[in-house]
């Protein structure tokens, strides 16, 4: 065995070399670090042993070797607890959280990333801010809360610009692009694609460049530009087929399958989708399995091969039910929701402190794009009104301000009557026209300080600070009449639309959520009394 100083020098060289290979070749990273772990163990250097083990586990996770990754994390855990080093603890929780999320253990993953983020805040470790924000965003992605995911991933992108880690910046760009695809912001995805391309062209991680091309191809596909989509997706596949990153390969193969279904090239579509299925099964990601089952079922229907369609639809539903049961077990608890809000606040403060530095680092185009991304997290894309997230953020603050200033606050809940019949009879495009026009009426009917939010589907919430109950009822009646008398025939000669509105004024409610519930009760009273009317909440009736 070499003497202690020589061994430490050798360990540092191995760890440095392994880190350089982590991005381009994770298998090489593992190969380098296995003797490093043994040497660190032999000389009793627990800190370097942990560094090696954590990098091995991250590599195993990246390669889809989840069982091996969990075993490596278990090996590192007692050493981390013994060392009590904040940076190593943060890195341990980050590596553990990746594996937990890959196994659909959402609550445990969130706890791990929460610890990671708090430790990172205490030692000002920017790269760990970024990784924790990316991870927390991925939890929301797994639960199909893409607006929430975008907020965390955009925060990661801003912090990544502050670091000197080129690869972490590339990874952050990728996550934001994926969110925009999920949110159907395809033009914005292409804008981001142009902005981030220099980062990916100089990245060592060719799988990330492939992902970047894949997202660009998906955006072109959704915009109906199938030739461009096919070209970019094949450019991605030219890279992916020579790499070992199964997740990237799976996404790429499924996207190619979709393009060929759209082009009615069914045999080629089937080939790509079955290859995607085979790849995904090797690492078992449920979110990807659901996607490929759905695509194969769609392919079966397009080919009129109903046996194939039924079989894959059955597999989809069986897995969806299994995931729903798991999600119910792993649903975020109130305590964890509070933890997220607490972390959100800490990051907001940190961002504010760094604002001038960040702005100096960004050119005007970057700043404009990031502002557009922020708007995407707060606006409903169909109507331009606020979305549910913005309502949930602003409503408690508005309630508190009005309460402290002894000013009235009223909430209106607006619901379009029998809207399902509109979609069923006239089609969803006309249904979208109705939603957009209703939002425009609501926005035109309110003052500058009011908040108009799409609550969900055909339902809207309006917050009127400073408006007493009688004034709010007048506003509601004016809105009701405007909706009823609007020129709906411009969309279809037989189209008629009315609305029911519930109104509630702040009184003795404990919080904003209770006030919203009162408005909701008044709305259902309006429906019970025949619809196309306004009802004011009265807790004495």
């Amino acid at each position: 065995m070499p003497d202690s100083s020589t061994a430490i020098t050798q360990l540092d060289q191995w760890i440095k070399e392994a880190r350089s290979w982590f991005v381009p070749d994770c298998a090489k990273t593992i190969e380098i670090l296995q003797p490093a772990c043994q040497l660190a163990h032999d000389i009793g250097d627990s800190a370097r042993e942990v560094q090696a083990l954590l990098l091995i586990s991250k590599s195993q996770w990246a390669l889809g070797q989840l069982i091996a990754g969990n075993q490596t994390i278990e090996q590192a855990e007692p050493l981390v607890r013994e060392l009590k080093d904040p940076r190593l603890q943060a890195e341990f929780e980050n590596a553990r959280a990746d594996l937990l999320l890959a196994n659909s253990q959402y609550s445990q993953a969130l706890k791990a990333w929460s610890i990671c983020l708090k430790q990172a805040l205490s030692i000002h470790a920017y790269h760990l801010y970024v990784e924790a924000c990316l991870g927390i965003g991925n939890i929301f992605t797994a639960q199909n809360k893409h607006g929430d995911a975008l907020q965390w991933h955009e925060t990661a992108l801003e912090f990544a610009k502050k670091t000197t880690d080129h690869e972490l910046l590339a990874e952050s760009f990728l996550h934001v692009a994926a969110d925009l695809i999920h949110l159907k912001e395809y033009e914005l995805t292409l804008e981001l694609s142009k902005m981030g391309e220099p980062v990916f062209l100089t990245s060592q991680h060719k799988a990330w460049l492939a992902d970047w091309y894949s997202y660009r191809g998906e955006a072109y596909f959704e915009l109906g530009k199938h030739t461009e989509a096919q070209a970019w997706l094949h450019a991605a596949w030219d890279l992916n087929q020579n790499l070992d990153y199964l997740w990237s390969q799976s996404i790429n193969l499924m996207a190619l399958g979709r393009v060929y279904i759209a082009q009615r090239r069914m045999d080629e579509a089937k080939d790509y989708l079955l290859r995607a299925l085979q790849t995904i099964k090797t690492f078992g990601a449920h979110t990807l399995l659901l996607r490929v089952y759905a695509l194969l079922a769609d392919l079966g229907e397009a080919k009129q091969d109903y046996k194939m369609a039924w079989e894959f639809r059955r597999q989809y539903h069986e897995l969806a039910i299994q995931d729903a049961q798991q999600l119910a077990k792993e649903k975020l608890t109130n305590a964890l929701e509070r933890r997220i809000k607490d972390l959100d606040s800490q990051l907001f403060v940190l961002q504010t402190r760094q604002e001038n530095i960040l702005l100096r680092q960004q050119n005007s185009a970057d700043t404009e794009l990031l502002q557009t991304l922020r708007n995407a997290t707060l606006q409903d894309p169909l109507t331009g009104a606020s979305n549910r997230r913005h309502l949930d953020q602003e409503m408690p603050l508005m309630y508190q301000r009005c309460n402290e200033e002894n000013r009235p606050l009223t909430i209106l809940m607006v619901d379009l009557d029998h809207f399902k019949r509109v979609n069923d009879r006239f089609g969803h495009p006309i249904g979208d026209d109705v939603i957009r026009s209703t939002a425009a009426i609501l926005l035109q009917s309110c003052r500058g300080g009011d908040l108009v939010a799409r609550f969900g589907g055909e339902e809207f919430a309006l917050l009127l600070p400073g408006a007493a109950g009688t004034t709010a009822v007048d506003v509601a009646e004016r809105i009701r009449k405007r909706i009823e008398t609007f020129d709906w025939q411009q969309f279809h000669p037989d189209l008629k639309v009315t609305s029911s509105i519930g109104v509630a004024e702040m009184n003795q409610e404990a919080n904003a959520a209770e006030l919203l519930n009162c408005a909701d009760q008044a709305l259902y009273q309006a429906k019970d009394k025949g619809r196309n009317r306004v009802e004011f909440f009265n807790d004495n009736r």
Side-chain angles (χ1 to χ4, degrees), residues 60-243:
Q60 290 166 331
W61 164 78
L63 293 170
Q65 300 170 5
L66 302 184
I67 294 174
N70 283 314
Q71 291 171 344
T72 304
I73 278 291
E74 288 175 6
Q75 187 179 345
E77 184 169 11
L79 298 174
V80 173
R81 304 298 179 219
E82 180 184 337
L83 287 167
K84 297 180 181 178
D85 179 280
R87 183 177 296 273
L88 288 178
Q89 185 178 5
E91 290 178 351
F92 167 79
E93 295 295 348
N94 179 53
R96 189 164 72 99
D98 278 327
L99 291 161
L100 288 167
L101 180 58
N103 286 306
S104 301
Q105 295 174 278
Y106 305 121
S107 295
Q108 294 94 322
L110 179 57
K111 287 179 182 177
W113 269 313
S114 299
I115 295 169
C116 172
L117 187 53
K118 286 188 175 181
Q119 292 284 5
L121 287 167
S122 71
I123 58 176
H124 306 293
Y126 287 144
H127 77 284
L128 286 170
Y129 297 161
V130 176
E131 296 205 33
C133 289
L134 291 176
I136 293 170
N138 289 342
I139 294 172
F140 284 113
T141 298
Q143 299 195 8
N144 293 316
K145 297 180 179 180
H146 300 296
D148 293 309
L150 177 59
Q151 185 195 27
W152 283 94
H153 291 156
E154 183 215 352
T155 300
L157 178 58
E158 292 197 43
F159 279 121
K161 287 173 175 284
K162 173 78 175 148
T163 73
T164 58
D165 191 328
H166 190 82
E167 304 302 337
L168 204 53
L169 179 59
E171 187 179 5
S172 301
F173 267 118
L174 272 181
H175 281 75
V176 172
D179 295 332
L180 293 176
I181 290 287
H182 284 300
L183 291 167
K184 301 181 180 180
E185 295 282 355
Y186 305 121
E187 294 285 2
L188 199 53
T189 303
L190 293 177
E191 289 279 339
L192 187 75
S193 176
K194 295 173 186 174
M195 173 180 159
E197 185 160 11
V199 176
F200 288 91
L201 290 175
T202 54
S203 169
Q204 296 183 63
H205 202 327
K206 296 308 175 188
W208 285 350
L209 179 59
D211 286 343
W212 199 240
Y213 288 163
S214 282
Y215 290 139
R216 186 179 292 181
E218 286 189 58
Y220 276 122
F221 175 80
E222 296 294 348
L223 292 169
K225 299 179 179 180
H226 293 170
T227 301
E228 292 93 334
Q230 184 178 339
W232 284 109
L233 290 170
H234 274 293
W237 184 242
D238 287 343
L239 294 168
N240 266 325
Q241 63 185 329
N242 297 314
L243 300 168

Side-chain angles (χ1 to χ4, degrees), residues 26 98 172 183 214 255 287 295 298 311 462 483 485 514 527 534:
C26 287
D98 278 327
S172 301
L183 291 167
S214 282
T287 52
L295 287 169
D298 291 344
E311 177 59 29
L462 284 70
I483 292 173
T485 59
E514 287 191 13
K527 291 180 179 180
V534 174

Side-chain angles (χ1 to χ4, degrees), residues 48 130 150 271 494:
R48 286 176 174 80
V130 176
L150 177 59
D271 176 57
D494 298 329

